[in-house]
Every structure is written in structure tokens, then in C-alpha cells.
Amino acid sequence: MALDPSDERAAYFAQYAQEQQRWGKEAAEAFYEGQTFYQQGQVAMALERFEAATRINSQYKEALVWTARCYQELGQLPQAANYWQRVIALDPNDSRAKYFLTLTQKQEVYGDTAGQEFANGIDYYQKNDFANAEAAFKRAIAANASSVDN
């Protein structure tokens, strides 16, 4: 790295070594295996490795995040919500985890499209972008008319 800071391969292995030192060799290995599977489009295999990393080291936040993400992508929303809650327990200020937990919960209740649009509407509303918030809420209603009651 000192000889060539732009060497991406060296940067990768330096980061990998830091992860092993911080989270433990086995946890980091499982996490990086999960990353490889995920990049190959093998989400279920990635999930198994990310979960292994969290079992080895329950404080490994990025492994928890990727586990939640995989569960969410696989449509296993209760499991995703559980992992997002674990991320928030480790880092109560993680706005990304809070957003995805809310999204997951809305998707569980209203379905994927309506849940996503509802979350978008809340996001727009909090930014005082009322026109886009209204449009997102209308799309949520169109995707799932039962959401009108809530």
C-alpha cells in the first residue's frame, strides 16, 4: 500500500486483515465468503455465510447488516426485521437500519410495492416534500387498497 496506494488488490487484502483482527479470523472469513457469493448472485449462499459470521461474532455489525439485507431480498421479512433490530441494538443511531426496519415492517403488512411506496412517502414527508409524499402514498394505496385503513 505504501508503494502504490492505488493498488486495489493490496487495499482489499489490507481491509481483509483489519476485519480479521477486529472481528476474528473465522468471522471475517465467513463474511468475505458471503460477499463473494453475493457478488456472484448467490444470495442464499451469501446469507448462510453472513449468518455464520454473526454466530461467530454477534457484534459484527456489517455481517448483521448483510444478513438482514439478504433475508429482505429473499422475501423472508420477519427474519430481516430481526436482524435490522439487532443492528439498531448495536448502533441506535444507524439511520440506514432504522429505515430498512420500517420498510420491512411495512412490506410485511402491505406487501412489497405498497410497503416501499409507504416508506418513500414517509421519507418525502419528513423532508417537507409534500407533493412527492402525496404521490408516494397514492401509489401505496393503488398497490394495496387495504392500506387506506392504516
Side-chain angles (χ1 to χ4, degrees):
M1 290 290 298
L3 295 175
D4 185 3
S6 66
D7 185 341
E8 291 179 17
R9 187 168 164 83
Y12 171 85
F13 284 109
Q15 177 69 29
Y16 185 41
Q18 289 172 348
E19 294 283 315
Q20 287 178 322
Q21 186 174 28
R22 182 171 185 189
W23 304 112
K25 183 180 182 292
E26 290 179 9
E29 285 176 356
F31 178 78
Y32 275 76
E33 288 169 0
Q35 289 287 305
T36 299
F37 282 124
Y38 188 85
Q39 290 169 359
Q40 294 170 350
Q42 298 180 48
V43 179
M45 291 296 295
L47 172 61
E48 189 279 320
R49 299 314 300 146
F50 292 138
E51 271 193 313
T54 67
R55 282 191 303 274
I56 296 164
N57 188 329
S58 64
Q59 303 298 301
Y60 198 162
K61 182 180 167 185
E62 281 307 301
L64 291 167
V65 165
W66 279 91
T67 302
R69 181 177 173 170
C70 287
Y71 270 127
Q72 197 153 2
E73 287 183 27
L74 293 170
Q76 297 178 32
L77 302 174
Q79 295 90 332
N82 176 52
Y83 277 90
W84 289 123
Q85 289 168 341
R86 289 177 62 185
V87 172
I88 293 166
L90 282 177
D91 182 0
N93 297 316
D94 189 321
S95 59
R96 163 189 61 175
K98 289 178 182 179
Y99 170 82
F100 282 109
L101 175 59
T102 299
L103 174 59
T104 301
Q105 292 167 333
K106 296 301 178 193
Q107 287 174 322
E108 278 187 275
V109 174
Y110 303 117
D112 287 343
T113 302
Q116 177 69 57
E117 290 299 342
F118 186 83
N120 290 344
I122 291 172
D123 189 46
Y124 285 128
Y125 185 83
Q126 290 173 339
K127 294 176 182 173
N128 295 322
D129 185 348
F130 301 116
N132 279 323
E134 180 181 11
F137 289 136
K138 285 180 179 179
R139 288 190 300 272
I141 291 167
N144 182 345
S146 69
S147 65
V148 173
D149 295 336
N150 298 306

